[in-house]
Amino acid sequence: MRQVGIEVPKVDVLEKALGEAKYGADLPTGELLFLKVLRSPKPHAKIVRIEMDEALRVPGVEKIFIAKDIPGKNLVGTITKDQPILASDRVRYIGDPVALVVANGEEFAEQATKKLRVIYEDLPAVFQPEEALQPYAPLIHDKGNLLLEFHVIKGDSPRGFKEADVIVEETYTTTWVDHAYLEPDAGISYLDEQGRITVVCPTQNVHYDQKEVASVLSLPLDQVRIIQSVTGGGFGGRLDITVQCLLALAVFHLKRPVKIIYSREEVFQITSKRHPLKIRYKSGAKRDGTLSAVEVDILGDTGAYASYGSTVAIRSAVHATGPYQVPNVKVRSRMVYTNNSWSGAMRGFGVPQMAFAHESQMDLLAQALNMDPIEIRLKNCLRVGSETATGQTLMASVGIGETLNKVKEWRERGFFSKNNPKRPFIKKGIGIGSMWYGVGNTGIANPSTAQVEVDPNGEIRLFTGVADIGQGSDTILLQIASETIGVSLKDFRLIRADTAITTDAGATSASRQTYISGNAILNAIKNLKEVAIGEASQLLSIDEKDLFYEEGKVKSRTCLTTSIPIKEIAKRCGRVIRGEGYFDPETTRLDPETGQGAPYATYAFATHLAEVEVDLETGKVRVNRMVASHDVGKAIHPKNVMGQIMGGVAMGTGFALMEEFIPGKTTSFVNYLIPTSKDVPEVIPIVVEEKEPTGPFGAKGVGEPALIPSAPAILNAIADAIGERIYHLPANLERVLEAIHKSKQR
Amino acid sequence: MIPPFEYKIPKTIEEACDLLWQAEGKSKIIAGGTDLVIGLRNGDQSPQVIIDITRIEELRKIGEMNGVLSIGAAITHSELASSSWVKKYGKVLSDAASEIGSPQVRNLGTIGGNIINASPAADTIPPLMVLNAMGRVVSKEGERQVPLYQLFKGPYETNLKPYELLTQVIFLKLPSDMRSSFVRLARREAMAIARMSVAVVFQIERGKIEDIRIAVGSVTPTPQRMLEAETFLKGKPLDEASFQKASHKVSEKMISQSGIRPTTSYKKPVVEALFIRAMRKALEEQA
Ligand SMILES: Cc1cc2nc3c(=O)[nH]c(=O)nc-3n(C[C@H](O)[C@H](O)[C@H](O)COP(=O)(O)OP(=O)(O)OC[C@H]3O[C@@H](n4cnc5c(N)ncnc54)[C@H](O)[C@@H]3O)c2cc1C
């Protein structure tokens, strides 16, 4: 029974297509109280006083909570706990939550919010990371404005540059980007039948949410239950706490069911953003194109709170070289607090920003050396046996070369169109972007767990804490389980992402769930098979070592006709048989001084080739097509992999050309433009399968890799078209036209 | 949350005028609602009465009489874009309508709403200006006809009194030998407000430009005719040099209206290029 590598219907697709799926805002209403948050209009201020008399007089208002109503620790954060649920003494960015209104109906909650008066005393604010590092800069947190400084040092970079025949050095900047997930954050909370505070909402990690809610309310973990509702996208934006603690706080005090729905404007204002990075990048290469050294300096803006700031600082440093062998590397990466909107996890954790820089550098080197952009990459790309910048030797599954070869075939086939002499103001160009991406968290334990059980009634249950946020993990994990147990997918029931009945699988992030939770499920099934063999041995009176498991049955090695299906075993035992699984990828901690170590068990690789056309008179760029070649190890569900690639290209097109969140200015989709169906290029997805020996059926991951090479490919294609490079994202009308004018002045 | 309001659906212009008069300035007309509802939602507008004009037969008609084309104020952009009359007698307008927003927005949004909302970026206004369109405005006080350019006071501001209703837009049918075109630039391919737009109408007589009208959108406080460029081009040959010089008159006028801003370094060359492109497009399309 083959289930892996084929295109089974996604298990959630029917419910979504029929409109039956219940997203956060669709959750049952009934007798619910409604929550609304009052937020800071100031980037940095002391809260002198909150006057709530008038607001409390609004009919229907039940209660107004402020910081002092929080019974536990009023600070959350995935790594550094520095973000209050309700600001206590001061606010640090425009949007910081100050008070929570609970009312009998949304309109009352909203009215009361407007009647609340907060007396602020302005504090000096700082908006530029460079300024925030100055000795007299206002402190955003007491411990100082530098969240983290991290280095990756290998070889001897000054010597590497001495050996170089060409050196290119440039500075690249990127800006805030919103996840733009379709579903605004929303959710409900109530006391379940066991009296536990239960929160149902879209999220990427129920077990993290549970810990934070318990800590905020000072409750034992088992008194808090988080259930993931159907989730309309995440892209990292739902790795942090959104509505969970606010909902739980209200239920904690009022013991009544409550609901919250963020407006689109709120989602824009207060959820995390992609970190703006400033990247100074120096590369050296020998005459034949071989890289001899890179030096990279990264300065990131984490905004008011840490969130995933340190993760991004570290991951961008670790990935700074791109998928290339570089003998001499020196990277410094710093992440800094400011009074801007807070940055957090967003599809790629800093790697998309880095890829923009390292891929621009590769093209600049190719240009300086008069080399073909694909050839210079092929010359330098990682292979089996290569050593990365952190000193890790790659043992298997290094498909970067193959992804390059695949796009080269398309280029050589003359796939790309020529300039049209009738439209002299439109110039076409093509560009390459490559990337690598370490699957899972960086140099730290990030285990997953799973259980599989067979019921005496024949039901097979797969328990996983993994949150499917639309990317398809429900289907993929079931495919893996179904194929490994040898029982049809239809016989399975999936129980997922509910802290009361599933165990910790870690976050749906870092492209880790297929690889890590897939492996946890394989281990659970291995365990289940052992249990089944043990039980069968009793039932059949055959020694365990004469039994083996195959295609859903325990079979005898000696007698070909003796076998017993796994469902039959559970039935005959009269009880549930169960397997437990655990998996933590093999990594080593990175050296705190030099960043050396093996931070990931495996890496995904990809190359995109973009064709763009640039309007030389207006700066308008159109991406015509994108050949997107991805080494995913093994495509468990090929269509789903292609879906991820298509979505990644769409998002990458936005990142390259138009997406820009401006704190305090951008309000909604009115002024935050993402590509429409008419802006997205034709995508030719190519799946490369360099099997990962430790992956489930050889699989790695594709979620974030899908996005990463698009923007670099587009930017390189623009440079190819106009003969001048753009160093700041997004490449909007104004920046492109400016570059065109510069190229004419040459 | 939108505060409560009364919703009225008059069937005739008279009835609408009565309702508007009675509301004493506390009403708002709704057609497609694609601008108004945004104002209601963000609190900019809080009328006590909303008067839906989309069931008034007369506002839903496109008519042709004595060389004049008249378009009901509640005609949608989709209808404008597909009307054979508009395509024949005012293609510059149907072209513009077909590029607005997205199919959903074009199916709801109306020409009347586009005009009265008076956005500097309203896509139908530059074409209507080069068509020398007039608005027919009706109220309890009577009827008046106003040249479109006289309607606008500033960005999002018109001279309409709160009890007045725009019923029709009228213009002389564009003779078939006149050339016209509309060009538009936006930050993405759909659902994006114009960064800049240019509409032109002109006639060629013995190789020379006659009777030219030029209007720009999005770069001045309200869409505007570019009279200096028009005067300059009259009697000039159809060559690159004339277009170039005229394009400078366009950008000079833009700067005199909007002042020098950080965005001027972008807008100046681009409005010039778009103007020249509009001229070329008009020549190519009907050549
Ligand atoms: C997503 C989106 C995209 C858009 N894209 C574009 C675009 O590309 N180009 C563009 O130009 N516009 C665009 N718009 C704006 C809008 O759709 C247009 O301006 C549309 O023509 C407005 O018409 P309406 O019928 O919806 O107006 P309404 O919202 O119904 O009314 C707008 C205003 O005009 C008044 N009004 C309406 N009709 C009359 C009348 N007959 N007499 C007197 N007053 C009247 C109303 O009281 C109100 O103040 C977009 C809007 C949205 C939401």
Side-chain angles (χ1 to χ4, degrees):
Chain A
M1 186 173 327
R2 234 167 71 84
Q3 293 290 353
V4 160
I6 61 164
E7 280 149 5
V8 301
K10 277 181 87 179
V11 295
D12 53 342
V13 78
L14 202 59
E15 145 185 283
K16 283 177 178 167
L18 293 173
E20 285 165 2
K22 296 266 177 286
Y23 292 88
D26 305 325
L27 295 169
T29 38
E31 285 289 290
L32 283 165
L33 295 171
F34 207 93
L35 310 186
K36 196 92 199 160
V37 184
L38 177 76
R39 302 186 177 280
S40 159
K42 295 178 175 287
H44 203 191
K46 215 174 112 184
I47 300 176
V48 180
R49 205 164 65 240
I50 303 174
E51 293 174 359
M52 48 175 110
D53 291 357
E54 212 190 327
L56 281 167
R57 279 198 295 272
V58 171
V61 169
E62 282 287 325
K63 190 83 189 142
I64 296 169
F65 296 113
I66 55 172
K68 70 168 176 42
D69 298 307
I70 291 171
K73 182 170 174 178
N74 184 15
L75 287 174
V76 298
T78 46
I79 295 144
T80 312
K81 305 221 179 288
D82 63 3
Q83 185 161 10
I85 292 306
L86 293 171
S88 50
D89 52 346
R90 63 171 155 153
V91 291
R92 296 183 175 86
Y93 81 104
I94 297 172
D96 237 349
V98 175
L100 177 68
V101 176
V102 190
N104 270 306
E106 191 173 3
E107 59 280 25
F108 301 125
E110 194 175 302
Q111 271 172 33
T113 313
K114 289 196 182 119
K115 298 246 156 83
L116 275 169
R117 270 177 42 92
V118 183
I119 318 297
Y120 295 101
E121 195 179 292
D122 284 325
L123 293 170
V126 59
F127 303 102
Q128 299 294 336
E130 288 91 344
E131 278 171 34
L133 287 175
Q134 296 305 311
Y136 301 107
L139 282 189
I140 292 144
H141 295 274
D142 296 340
K143 60 178 190 212
N145 291 342
L146 180 66
L147 170 63
L148 184 92
E149 176 163 338
F150 183 79
H151 298 257
V152 173
I153 295 162
K154 178 187 171 179
D156 176 353
S157 61
R159 219 188 69 203
F161 284 113
K162 257 190 229 132
E163 290 167 3
D165 295 307
V166 290
I167 293 175
V168 291
E169 183 171 358
E170 294 293 347
T171 300
Y172 303 85
T173 60
T174 68
T175 189
W176 293 274
V177 178
D178 191 79
H179 307 87
Y181 41 70
L182 269 188
E183 181 202 8
D185 296 286
I188 59 171
S189 181
Y190 53 86
L191 296 174
D192 76 354
E193 59 289 352
Q194 292 186 33
R196 284 177 290 209
I197 292 192
T198 305
V199 175
V200 190
C201 68
T203 171
Q204 294 181 239
N205 189 351
V206 285
H207 287 90
Y208 166 70
D209 298 349
Q210 182 191 29
K211 285 176 211 131
E212 293 291 32
V213 170
S215 147
V216 165
L217 300 181
S218 203
L219 286 174
L221 268 189
D222 63 4
Q223 286 303 299
V224 174
R225 176 179 184 184
I226 312 287
I227 304 171
Q228 186 211 5
S229 58
V230 177
T231 299
F235 308 109
R238 301 205 229 252
L239 287 172
D240 283 289
I241 291 297
T242 56
V243 295
Q244 297 84 338
C245 295
L246 297 168
L247 286 163
L249 176 68
V251 174
F252 176 88
H253 286 291
L254 302 173
K255 315 266 182 273
R256 289 168 64 186
V258 298
K259 180 166 189 166
I260 193 166
I261 305 176
Y262 280 176
S263 66
R264 179 63 71 185
E265 287 82 352
E266 248 175 324
V267 176
F268 266 101
Q269 189 182 43
I270 60 121
T271 60
S272 68
K273 300 286 172 282
R274 182 182 293 292
H275 290 82
L277 296 188
K278 181 171 179 185
I279 306 158
R280 221 200 62 229
Y281 206 120
K282 182 175 168 191
S283 317
K286 298 188 183 154
R287 202 154 287 123
D288 68 351
T290 316
L291 289 166
S292 62
V294 303
E295 260 181 35
V296 189
D297 191 51
I298 306 163
L299 185 62
D301 184 350
T302 194
Y305 298 106
S307 176
Y308 279 90
S310 21
T311 309
V312 167
I314 296 170
R315 196 181 264 273
S316 46
V318 165
H319 287 77
T321 57
Y324 310 109
Q325 309 186 58
V326 191
N328 304 295
V329 178
K330 187 174 160 201
V331 185
R332 174 174 74 158
S333 179
R334 289 172 299 165
M335 191 54 77
V336 179
Y337 288 109
T338 65
N339 292 110
N340 289 316
S341 300
W342 55 290
S343 307
M346 183 175 175
R347 207 174 190 177
F349 290 102
V351 181
Q353 295 94 309
M354 294 314 298
F356 164 49
H358 63 64
E359 289 307 280
S360 298
Q361 290 288 108
M362 288 308 275
D363 267 26
L364 284 169
L365 286 174
Q367 206 180 334
L369 292 162
N370 220 347
M371 271 182 92
D372 178 87
I374 294 185
E375 296 308 326
I376 194 172
R377 287 171 171 83
L378 278 169
K379 176 144 216 128
N380 289 289
C381 72
L382 296 164
R383 310 157 215 278
V384 173
S386 298
E387 201 189 84
T388 67
T390 66
Q392 178 178 5
T393 302
L394 300 177
M395 308 304 284
S397 189
V398 187
I400 179 64
E402 190 53 23
T403 64
L404 279 158
N405 284 326
K406 279 281 174 321
V407 302
K408 194 175 154 192
E409 283 168 24
W410 279 86
R411 189 185 66 177
E412 253 124 64
R413 238 180 271 166
F415 173 67
F416 294 99
S417 51
K418 301 267 171 321
N419 290 323
N420 175 356
K422 281 201 177 140
R423 295 168 77 213
F425 51 86
I426 300 289
K427 278 280 279 202
K428 292 188 175 151
I430 62 169
I432 290 279
S434 289
M435 73 104 224
W436 64 325
Y437 192 81
V439 171
N441 297 3
T442 310
I444 51 170
N446 64 130
S448 178
T449 56
Q451 300 80 35
V452 184
E453 59 184 39
V454 185
D455 192 87
N457 302 323
E459 187 177 70
I460 304 184
R461 291 186 283 261
L462 173 62
F463 291 84
T464 170
V466 175
D468 189 334
I469 54 174
Q471 89 284 21
S473 54
D474 282 359
T475 306
I476 278 144
L477 298 178
L478 279 171
Q479 281 177 282
I480 290 174
S482 158
E483 167 132 356
T484 318
I485 302 187
V487 172
S488 159
L489 211 142
K490 287 193 266 325
D491 292 344
F492 276 86
R493 189 149 78 88
L494 178 73
I495 293 107
R496 71 122 146 99
D498 174 345
T499 59
I501 43 179
T502 62
T503 56
D504 200 347
T508 294
S509 73
S511 305
R512 60 185 286 285
Q513 292 295 21
T514 302
Y515 178 68
I516 298 179
S517 290
N519 267 325
I521 288 169
L522 288 186
N523 287 335
I525 293 169
K526 203 166 142 205
N527 181 221
L528 176 75
K529 287 177 180 175
E530 287 160 12
V531 174
I533 288 172
E535 296 292 350
S537 157
Q538 303 258 315
L539 293 169
L540 303 172
S541 307
I542 300 176
D543 201 285
E544 274 188 37
K545 63 180 188 322
D546 291 329
L547 293 171
F548 69 105
Y549 190 96
E550 192 182 72
E551 289 171 352
K553 294 178 186 137
V554 175
K555 297 180 179 173
S556 158
R557 286 186 204 281
T558 49
C559 168
L560 286 179
T561 51
T562 304
S563 74
I564 176 167
I566 187 155
K567 291 187 190 172
E568 190 65 23
I569 298 172
K571 191 172 168 190
R572 300 240 315 252
C573 293
R575 62 178 182 77
V576 167
I577 57 171
R578 183 177 168 93
E580 300 261 353
Y582 174 91
F583 181 79
D584 191 15
E586 210 173 294
T587 62
T588 63
R589 202 174 68 99
L590 294 174
D591 183 278
E593 303 288 313
T594 64
Q596 294 296 295
Y600 312 103
T602 185
Y603 294 81
F605 299 91
T607 300
H608 288 188
L609 176 58
E611 179 196 304
V612 304
E613 53 179 59
V614 184
D615 185 328
L616 300 179
E617 294 176 345
T618 64
K620 182 84 191 284
V621 177
R622 250 192 103 101
V623 187
N624 290 335
R625 42 181 76 85
M626 187 80 83
V627 180
S629 168
H630 283 261
D631 169 23
V632 302
K634 162 82 189 166
I636 305 282
H637 192 298
K639 267 270 158 59
N640 205 45
V641 166
M642 291 180 191
Q644 287 293 302
I645 295 173
M646 306 257 178
V649 170
M651 208 173 212
T653 303
F655 182 47
L657 299 181
M658 61 184 86
E659 295 192 38
E660 176 163 28
F661 174 91
I662 305 170
K665 284 206 180 126
T666 303
T667 55
S668 70
F669 285 120
V670 167
N671 36 33
Y672 187 84
L673 299 191
I674 60 173
T676 68
S677 57
K678 290 177 94 178
D679 299 275
V680 176
E682 174 193 3
V683 183
I684 294 112
I686 298 170
V687 175
V688 170
E689 295 182 323
E690 294 279 340
K691 291 214 172 144
E692 165 54 47
T694 65
F697 299 94
K700 302 191 279 193
V702 73
E704 290 153 298
L707 155 85
I708 298 168
S710 289
I714 293 169
L715 269 289
N716 283 338
I718 296 174
D720 180 46
I722 67 175
E724 179 68 46
R725 188 160 285 282
I726 291 164
Y727 299 93
H728 313 285
L729 291 187
N732 58 21
L733 298 175
E734 291 79 3
R735 287 193 180 123
V736 176
L737 193 70
E738 200 187 313
I740 292 165
H741 287 162
K742 255 212 279 189
S743 82
K744 281 190 190 146
Q745 281 157 16
R746 285 245 195 94
Chain B
M1 286 271 132
I2 297 174
F5 51 78
E6 262 186 90
Y7 200 81
K8 307 272 190 189
I9 311 175
K11 293 270 170 0
T12 63
I13 291 178
E14 250 189 343
E15 206 187 321
C17 289
D18 283 342
L19 288 166
L20 284 165
W21 189 258
Q22 287 155 17
E24 297 179 336
K26 293 183 182 117
S27 66
K28 266 303 201 186
I29 292 170
I30 190 166
T34 58
D35 282 318
L36 183 72
V37 174
I38 293 167
L40 295 176
R41 195 173 162 275
N42 67 21
D44 287 352
Q45 305 275 2
S46 43
Q48 290 174 6
V49 186
I50 291 185
I51 299 166
D52 180 342
I53 57 163
T54 58
R55 315 296 156 83
I56 302 172
E57 276 303 309
E58 278 184 77
L59 306 191
R60 302 272 312 117
K61 283 190 196 140
I62 299 178
E64 187 238 348
M65 216 175 26
N66 303 333
V68 172
L69 197 69
S70 96
I71 299 170
I75 287 292
T76 66
H77 300 303
S78 298
E79 289 164 338
L80 277 183
S82 61
S83 153
S84 49
W85 270 338
V86 182
K87 280 199 269 191
K88 191 161 173 206
Y89 300 124
K91 187 163 180 298
V92 61
L93 177 61
S94 52
D95 281 356
S98 72
E99 290 195 49
I100 286 176
S102 63
Q104 298 92 322
V105 174
R106 293 195 289 274
N107 286 342
L108 275 176
T110 64
I111 185 168
N114 200 227
I115 295 167
I116 304 304
N117 185 57
S119 157
D123 281 312
T124 64
I125 299 180
L128 287 168
M129 283 183 157
V130 296
L131 290 167
N132 271 337
M134 311 267 283
R136 193 176 281 155
V137 176
V138 177
S139 76
K140 267 310 236 196
E141 286 177 336
E143 184 182 321
R144 60 186 178 117
Q145 275 194 16
V146 215
L148 207 67
Y149 67 90
Q150 284 182 11
L151 261 182
F152 305 112
K153 276 208 297 204
Y156 305 100
E157 257 188 292
T158 68
N159 288 318
L160 236 61
K161 304 208 177 66
Y163 50 83
E164 282 185 319
L165 171 71
L166 177 73
T167 57
Q168 267 101 22
V169 187
I170 54 176
F171 56 85
L172 290 175
K173 295 195 297 196
L174 206 60
S176 57
D177 61 344
M178 276 196 94
R179 320 233 162 195
S180 71
S181 78
F182 177 74
V183 295
R184 176 185 203 271
L185 172 72
R187 291 188 186 277
R188 65 179 174 193
E189 300 294 321
M191 291 284 270
I193 298 301
R195 180 84 177 83
M196 225 173 270
S197 69
V198 179
V200 297
V201 159
F202 60 92
Q203 193 145 33
I204 310 167
E205 264 173 45
R206 275 170 260 117
K208 300 231 160 80
I209 298 169
E210 291 302 334
D211 195 18
I212 179 159
R213 282 162 269 159
I214 307 162
V216 298
S218 291
V219 290
T220 46
T222 62
Q224 276 207 3
R225 284 276 293 276
M226 298 282 108
L227 300 175
E228 291 77 2
E230 291 177 6
T231 316
F232 169 81
L233 274 175
K234 266 180 209 149
K236 293 280 177 335
L238 288 155
D239 59 16
E240 234 10 65
S242 322
F243 291 177
Q244 288 284 352
K245 279 191 196 133
S247 78
H248 295 142
K249 303 245 176 246
V250 170
S251 59
E252 276 163 27
K253 175 71 179 232
M254 171 189 86
I255 292 167
S256 78
Q257 296 292 298
S258 308
I260 301 259
R261 302 186 191 189
T263 52
T264 308
S265 63
Y266 177 78
K267 284 187 185 166
K268 183 178 177 307
V270 178
V271 78
E272 289 167 359
L274 287 189
F275 162 71
I276 295 175
R277 212 175 270 188
M279 294 299 289
R280 287 202 199 118
K281 188 176 165 200
L283 289 171
E284 277 163 24
E285 273 188 6
Q286 288 128 325

